[in-house]
Amino acid sequence: MTASTHTAWDGLILGASLATLDAPRGYADISDGALAWRDDRLTFVGPRSELPDAPHRLAREVIETRGWITPGLVDCHTHLVFAGDRAREFEQRLQGASYEEIARAGGGILSTVRATRAADEGELLRQSLPRAHALIADGATTVEIKSGYGLDFDNERKMLRVARRLEQLGISVRTTYLAAHALPPEFAGRGDEYIDAAIEWLGRLHVEGLVDAVDAFCEGIGFTPAQTTRMFQAARALDLPVKLHADQLSDLGGAALAAAFNGLSADHVEHTSLASVRAMALHGTVAVLLPGAFHVLRETKLPPLDAFREHGVPMAVATDCNPGTSPLLSLRHAMQLACTHFRLTPEEALRGATVHAAKALGLHDRGVLRAGARADFVQWNIGHPSELCYWLGGPLATAVHAGGHRVR
């Protein structure tokens, strides 16, 4: 609740209730609030009554409003850049085929690889833009985007370039290198050789400034813990943080492996053991819950939610937006699913899509409303923050600001 020394803020919003999340528990809400920004930073967050001067003297634009303002939402796990869709596989799963059966028959990730390789950069951008717009419309101001549907140097590079180009929408984009997502046909039966190639590509893409973090799919139908370790060692040599698709279908100790490399996050984590939870707590690794995939795959094995709470492991929530297992275009809907399937409270879900999601990306300047934080915030037409997890769909965001600029 402090003001900067600037006398000409870019904007000042008055009258809304503020869910600052700037406290360990609760919404840390402020009634009849005042929120101001200059350039890309918040300059005042507090009650209107604590403003140091008359509003018209403080800001170039003063807006009176109602409803609530929260920090901008942070979608910390997406596969948003891809071509084509896998609607037919959705039908196959409803008819009894498992995710693994579809993947082993040449569907799954590899079907998206074929479509993504066939699209040039412009077409890939054209198909990805509507998905990004949908996330923004429902409050997302920071989005992580993974590669992993190219599986060769040129196409992984193409995906990462398109992800960077989505910053033209005004949001923050964090890119994650996920070449260790699936084994491409040309490397069938040669997983170790593929990891050698993917490590070499990583170095080249890092030089181009296209990689913010490194991920892998550590699973029986993905890559072994030993292969994942090699990829993470290469990331460490380049001073890149790691995260991991861990323990989604089985417990291979993936979450503990991510923690051993001081990983930003372990994602999915349905089968994560208590020993891995303790390792995550020790190393500050965030558990990223992906209820969209849990829902679409009709899973029944819950993540160890009570253990995460007991050991103080932060729980983030993300869409996992992807064409096969989580065709989800709303982080707010992911929050609702986290409450419904995982029994998160609405406060836990909102923190999971703001404070903890930012931590899962290694970003410490957002996810809360606080003077000095990045000016990412959303105005909502709601009577209480719990409504963000209550409504299934529908337009609740009336304005979305990222870096001090209105992006919706």
Side-chain angles (χ1 to χ4, degrees):
M1 300 182 189
T2 57
S4 76
T5 57
H6 292 301
T7 57
W9 297 332
D10 293 334
L12 172 64
I13 299 176
L14 301 171
S17 296
L18 310 179
T20 70
L21 305 181
D22 194 19
R25 293 180 181 82
Y27 295 108
D29 50 291
I30 297 170
S31 300
D32 192 20
L35 182 142
W37 65 97
R38 181 183 175 89
D39 297 326
D40 65 347
R41 296 288 141 181
L42 295 175
T43 50
F44 182 92
V45 180
R48 185 203 302 247
S49 61
E50 294 185 8
L51 283 171
D53 202 345
H56 70 276
R57 298 177 183 272
L58 293 168
R60 297 186 181 94
E61 180 182 21
V62 179
I63 302 168
E64 284 274 0
T65 190
R66 302 175 68 181
W68 282 77
I69 296 177
T70 71
L73 304 186
V74 177
D75 199 345
C76 63
H77 182 130
T78 87
H79 304 256
L80 184 144
V81 171
F82 60 86
D85 65 66
R86 304 214 309 258
R88 177 59 185 141
E89 291 180 16
F90 176 66
E91 288 187 311
Q92 291 174 325
R93 284 198 301 273
L94 292 176
Q95 294 164 2
S98 73
Y99 177 67
E100 292 190 44
E101 288 169 344
I102 292 171
R104 294 191 187 282
I109 293 169
L110 291 182
S111 65
T112 299
V113 170
R114 290 191 292 272
T116 302
R117 286 181 172 184
D120 63 21
E121 187 171 317
E123 176 61 18
L124 193 56
L125 177 64
R126 187 191 68 80
Q127 293 192 38
S128 301
L129 275 169
R131 296 187 283 269
H133 279 297
L135 291 177
I136 294 168
D138 224 12
T141 55
T142 299
V143 177
E144 183 258 18
I145 302 175
K146 303 178 191 295
S147 67
Y149 293 131
L151 307 187
D152 61 27
F153 175 78
D154 289 338
N155 287 292
E156 289 289 294
R157 180 176 184 266
K158 176 177 67 180
M159 290 188 68
L160 293 167
R161 282 173 54 87
V162 169
R164 284 278 192 250
R165 288 178 67 181
L166 290 173
E167 290 181 328
Q168 67 184 288
L169 301 179
I171 60 172
S172 296
V173 172
R174 303 297 288 179
T175 56
T176 298
Y177 178 67
L178 183 58
H181 195 196
L183 195 61
E186 60 268 26
F187 279 89
R190 297 185 293 133
D192 288 335
E193 291 180 42
Y194 177 70
I195 292 295
D196 289 339
I199 287 171
E200 192 270 332
W201 305 336
L202 171 61
R204 293 159 65 188
L205 294 168
H206 177 56
V207 168
E208 292 190 37
L210 292 174
V211 180
D212 296 321
V214 174
D215 195 352
F217 183 34
C218 184
E219 195 56 74
I221 59 172
F223 294 90
T224 67
Q227 291 165 339
T228 301
T229 296
R230 291 176 54 213
M231 179 61 72
F232 282 5
Q233 288 170 337
R236 175 183 283 171
L238 296 171
D239 199 28
L240 287 169
V242 301
K243 51 183 54 210
L244 186 64
H245 285 65
D247 310 333
Q248 179 186 11
L249 306 174
S250 61
D251 182 12
L252 296 183
L257 174 58
F261 279 84
N262 295 312
L264 293 174
S265 68
D267 303 28
H268 287 290
V269 295
E270 283 91 335
H271 291 264
T272 294
S273 68
L274 181 58
S276 291
V277 172
R278 289 171 175 154
M280 293 171 68
L282 179 65
H283 292 276
T285 299
V286 176
V288 177
L289 307 179
L290 302 173
F294 185 93
H295 176 79
V296 170
L297 294 175
R298 295 186 293 174
E299 296 287 357
T300 57
K301 174 69 173 175
L302 292 171
L305 303 161
D306 289 339
F308 289 143
R309 293 184 181 106
E310 179 183 352
H311 291 276
V313 175
M315 292 184 288
V317 176
T319 62
D320 191 18
C321 172
N322 76 72
T325 62
S326 189
L328 181 54
L329 297 175
S330 165
L331 183 49
R332 190 169 59 79
H333 195 172
M335 293 159 56
Q336 203 283 337
L337 291 174
C339 292
T340 300
H341 289 304
F342 299 157
R343 301 296 192 269
L344 265 61
T345 67
E347 180 205 329
E348 285 179 317
L350 180 57
R351 286 183 177 275
T354 52
V355 182
H356 300 325
K359 186 179 184 207
L361 296 179
L363 300 173
H364 305 288
D365 65 344
R366 66 200 70 191
V368 297
L369 301 179
R370 178 195 304 142
R374 183 174 163 82
D376 293 351
F377 58 91
V378 186
Q379 297 169 247
W380 304 96
N381 182 25
I382 55 175
H384 189 270
S386 61
E387 290 186 47
L388 298 177
C389 298
Y390 166 69
W391 293 107
L392 281 165
L396 298 185
T398 58
V400 180
H401 285 75
H405 297 284
R406 184 164 175 164
V407 293
R408 179 182 183 275

